[in-house]
Amino acid sequence: MVPDDPAVPICSAKGCRASAVWVLAWNNPKLHTPERRKTWLACEEHREHLSQFLGVRGFLKDVVRFEEWEPVDEGPGGGSAADR
């Protein structure tokens, strides 16, 4: 399914154009401060695969339904936790 609205968030899996249902919050401790959260978005089909990819590397911090995700503002110049 391809979202008609470009504002509709889509899955981060390579080649997938499905609407995102999940937010996978992650952090690479070699690059990010402990409180920093990067995010990938996932459709139902790719949630497990993307979670495993991040999990085996020790990066996965949280998986939350998209409508429940509350991005954290990191202040000026810091971006937000919702950047992919």
Side-chain angles (χ1 to χ4, degrees), residues 9-28:
I10 60 168
C11 181
S12 297
K14 186 175 181 177
C16 185
R17 303 296 299 161
S19 297
V21 179
W22 298 95
V23 175
L24 286 65
W26 61 278
N27 171 303
N28 180 341

Side-chain angles (χ1 to χ4, degrees), residues 1-13 16-24 39-47 50 63-69 82 84:
M1 179 177 121
V2 178
D4 293 332
D5 182 352
V8 173
I10 60 168
C11 181
S12 297
C16 185
R17 303 296 299 161
S19 297
V21 179
W22 298 95
V23 175
L24 286 65
T39 58
W40 282 355
L41 303 178
C43 64
E44 287 292 349
E45 180 181 350
H46 292 111
R47 185 191 94 176
L50 293 174
V63 178
V64 180
R65 291 200 61 87
F66 183 80
E67 62 270 5
E68 296 171 7
W69 176 249
R84 297 195 290 167

Side-chain angles (χ1 to χ4, degrees), residues 30-76:
K30 292 182 180 179
L31 301 176
H32 307 120
T33 59
E35 64 279 353
R36 177 70 190 239
R37 292 296 178 265
K38 301 287 283 181
T39 58
W40 282 355
L41 303 178
C43 64
E44 287 292 349
E45 180 181 350
H46 292 111
R47 185 191 94 176
E48 187 62 30
H49 171 73
L50 293 174
S51 293
Q52 286 180 358
F53 181 89
L54 293 168
V56 298
R57 290 159 178 80
F59 295 174
L60 187 63
K61 301 300 179 189
D62 202 5
V63 178
V64 180
R65 291 200 61 87
F66 183 80
E67 62 270 5
E68 296 171 7
W69 176 249
E70 296 180 21
V72 176
D73 184 3
E74 293 185 1

